[in-house]
């Protein structure tokens, strides 16, 4: 199954999230059977990241957005842990600092955009400025409603400069969120992750859903598509995301950079160094 | 074997690198037999990094220095690939940008210092300013000779703020470097890694050795020790480094942060959410 085709939001398409099955697992029978397939995708990602880094021409930006407990951290951990940390960075977007808030909403995202050769993962992102900001009325509608276009322009500019952008919305059901909250509550080693806002945010589920549906409709573009990933099953979520990333990177035409030295010259230098080394070793031996 | 004790440079100790065996592998018989031990260390590092990140109080700075082809990139790839990329960053120090060169030599290092909760790896570092700068006479001796103390002061300041610092010198023999250059030359897929400077830098081996011996003598401190890692065998290099990092992190007193919510209140909120959810599901079913 091609999950890029299956889960992509077409530009302008209206997604009704309550009609998307968050428990979907496709033809995969179980976690165990899906595991080797995911490992294959991750190995492909790893290989392609090496080329991306070596080539140093293009870059990749991954955006992860979701409601609490949908698994953004889990995706970072399970999908990206195999990647070479040299050339892979993760930025978590928290409440803006005073300095960040004093600038336009795209300023901090722009600073963290990937350099050529890099993979950058946004754990939350500039989309919070049309999500939490909208739901909690932290800005007027006249302000946030302009941001969809501004985001599209910003992402287009990054794309023009060689950045490939993939955006994932991790879709879970309210029942699944509650089950995950219960797991946290039942396990004292996870109590530190519980936030006072967990249940008050949950109360705003339908408002967040509405805000996400607008994001998906208004900001899924050919150059920076959104994917709605069924995420009730963590293993399927990781499988689908890793396939989509690997397939996209496959298409980026990544290749080893050309040799920037003259190999004949280098070969001569190598032989000279080899002879010198042999003499040195001879001297040490007293030959 | 405790490699922290074995490979540490005592403050003020003069190391003669040509007397340190770069092919040392201790009691380990082979790569295959050492592999599970290294995997154990890496698993410990991973577990402790979770606590470091969760706790968000201390941080860890790893400095990697070595001559060409000694394996800095290999350490990043093999020792740190398992770590959660959320909270782990790698910075490669290249020739300074115009902006960086316009500041003092510690400016760019300071900007990349780890925040609380983070692990940062410097692939090359501020030490280049007493290595390449000294060997290539890019600054006068009256300038670079003051830097050892300045580095010690800088690292002490980071330590006072909760950063643990570990510095690794990857020690290879000239023969091993030549063998690795040959591998690059023999494999066209690695030609892009060959630099015109490889052999001219090799000519400066003894000058670099002298510069490194001074670094080790003058900047190995109780709070920021240097370790000289025998690195002719890549697997042993990775094994020793992962053990030293895991053992150090073990001593940092890392623990889960306290719960910052009232669990009774959260439990009540959970039950309220559960009842509400049950009613909703009931309604949908038409109960």
């Amino acid at each position: 199954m091609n999950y890029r085709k299956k889960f992509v939001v077409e530009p302008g398409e209206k997604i009704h999230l309550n009609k998307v099955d968050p428990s979907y697992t496709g033809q995969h029978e179980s976690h165990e059977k899906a595991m080797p397939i995911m490992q294959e995708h991750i190995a492909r990602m790893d290989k392609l990241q090496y080329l991306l880094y070596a080539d140093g021409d293009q870059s990749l930006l991954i955006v992860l957005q979701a409601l609490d407990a949908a698994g953004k951290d889990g995706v970072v951990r399970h999908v990206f842990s195999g990647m070479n940390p040299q050339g892979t960075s993760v930025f978590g977007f928290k409440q803006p600092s005073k300095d960040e808030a004093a600038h336009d909403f795209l300023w901090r995202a722009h600073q963290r955009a990937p350099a050529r050769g890099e993979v950058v993962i946004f754990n939350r992102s500039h989309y919070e400025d049309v999500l939490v900001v909208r739901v909690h009325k932290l800005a007027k509608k006249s302000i946030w409603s302009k941001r969809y276009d501004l985001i599209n322009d910003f992402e287009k500019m990054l794309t023009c400069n060689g950045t490939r952008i993939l955006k994932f919305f991790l879709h879970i059901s309210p029942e699944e969120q509650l089950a995950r909250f219960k797991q946290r509550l039942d396990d004292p080693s996870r109590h530190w992750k519980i936030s006072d806002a967990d249940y008050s945010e949950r109360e705003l589920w339908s408002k967040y859903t509405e805000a996400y549906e607008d994001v998906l409709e208004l900001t899924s573009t050919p150059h920076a598509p959104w994917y709605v990933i069924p995420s009730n099953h963590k293993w399927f979520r990781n499988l689908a995301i890793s396939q989509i990333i690997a397939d996209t990177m496959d298409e980026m035409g990544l290749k080893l950079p050309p040799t920037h030295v003259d190999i004949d010259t280098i070969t001569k230098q190598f032989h000279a160094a080899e002879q010198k080394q042999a003499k040195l070793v001879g001297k040490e031996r007293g030959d």
Side-chain angles (χ1 to χ4, degrees), chain A:
Chain A
M1 172 66 79
N2 181 335
Y3 294 130
R4 265 208 299 175
K5 277 195 186 155
K6 181 152 182 73
F7 298 138
V8 72
V9 179
E10 296 296 339
E13 186 186 359
K14 183 78 195 173
I15 300 286
H16 299 281
L17 286 171
N18 63 0
K19 297 205 175 132
V20 178
D21 178 11
S23 294
Y24 179 89
T25 55
Q27 85 283 26
H28 303 287
E29 285 169 31
S30 68
H31 182 181
E32 287 64 35
K33 289 195 180 170
M35 207 54 180
I37 304 170
M38 187 188 79
Q39 292 305 344
E40 240 173 70
H41 296 322
I42 286 179
R44 272 200 299 148
M45 281 170 59
D46 184 43
K47 210 176 134 189
L48 290 159
Q49 186 240 345
Y50 176 78
L51 297 179
L52 183 82
Y53 182 77
D55 193 27
D57 186 38
Q58 301 179 70
S59 62
L60 182 64
L61 175 61
I62 311 280
V63 170
L64 301 176
Q65 285 285 162
L67 293 180
D68 292 334
K72 296 182 296 296
D73 293 348
V75 170
V76 170
R77 173 152 195 79
H78 296 287
V79 177
F80 295 100
S81 269
M83 269 200 178
N84 193 337
Q86 189 149 290
T88 309
S89 303
V90 181
F91 293 110
F93 283 66
K94 310 244 157 88
Q95 216 171 326
S97 71
K98 234 176 164 175
D99 194 28
E100 288 169 348
H103 291 82
D104 67 87
F105 80 105
L106 292 169
W107 185 75
R108 62 174 179 162
H110 205 163
Q111 288 188 317
R112 292 159 179 188
R116 293 176 192 283
E118 285 184 351
V119 178
V120 165
I121 299 124
F122 282 181
N123 185 342
R124 302 185 186 274
S125 67
H126 46 294
Y127 283 95
E128 289 299 329
D129 291 282
V130 285
L131 291 163
V132 66
V133 164
R134 170 177 168 172
V135 170
H136 284 279
K137 301 189 169 70
L138 304 177
K140 287 183 204 161
K141 182 168 182 182
S142 61
I143 302 283
W144 60 252
S145 61
K146 290 197 186 86
R147 289 182 173 165
Y148 303 101
D149 284 343
L150 299 174
I151 287 174
N152 288 339
D153 292 344
F154 169 65
E155 293 179 352
K156 190 174 177 188
M157 185 270 298
L158 294 182
T159 308
C160 287
N161 203 44
T163 302
R164 191 76 178 239
I165 304 174
L166 296 173
K167 302 179 293 198
F168 297 100
F169 171 66
L170 314 182
H171 177 47
I172 58 168
S173 64
E175 292 89 339
E176 179 63 20
Q177 187 192 53
L178 206 59
R180 295 185 186 180
F181 281 175
K182 185 162 165 51
Q183 284 163 10
R184 285 187 190 169
L185 205 51
D186 289 347
D187 177 359
S189 82
R190 291 157 95 181
H191 279 182
W192 68 278
K193 287 191 126 189
I194 299 174
S195 152
D196 269 325
D198 286 351
Y199 294 91
S200 54
E201 286 295 277
R202 184 178 160 83
E203 287 291 312
L204 299 167
W205 191 284
S206 65
K207 290 213 184 305
Y208 272 110
T209 299
E210 201 181 332
Y212 267 110
E213 286 177 353
D214 280 357
V215 160
L216 298 171
E217 180 183 354
L218 299 172
T219 64
S220 197
T221 57
H223 56 274
W226 274 106
Y227 298 91
V228 175
I229 307 294
S231 299
N232 273 4
H233 297 282
K234 294 172 184 178
W235 61 268
F236 180 76
R237 170 199 77 197
N238 296 341
L239 173 84
I241 290 177
S242 58
Q243 189 211 70
I244 291 169
I245 295 174
D247 285 357
T248 303
M249 292 180 87
D250 247 342
E251 272 187 13
M252 287 171 73
L254 301 167
K255 57 189 180 322
L256 285 175
T259 310
H260 44 259
V261 294
D262 179 58
I263 289 298
D264 286 344
T265 309
I266 295 291
T267 305
K268 276 178 204 153
Q269 287 177 340
F270 172 76
H271 288 305
E274 199 175 32
Q275 280 171 11
K276 204 168 166 187
Q277 184 67 43
K279 268 188 206 159
L280 274 177
V281 174
K283 257 192 207 158
E284 276 168 21
R285 279 206 209 115
D287 294 359

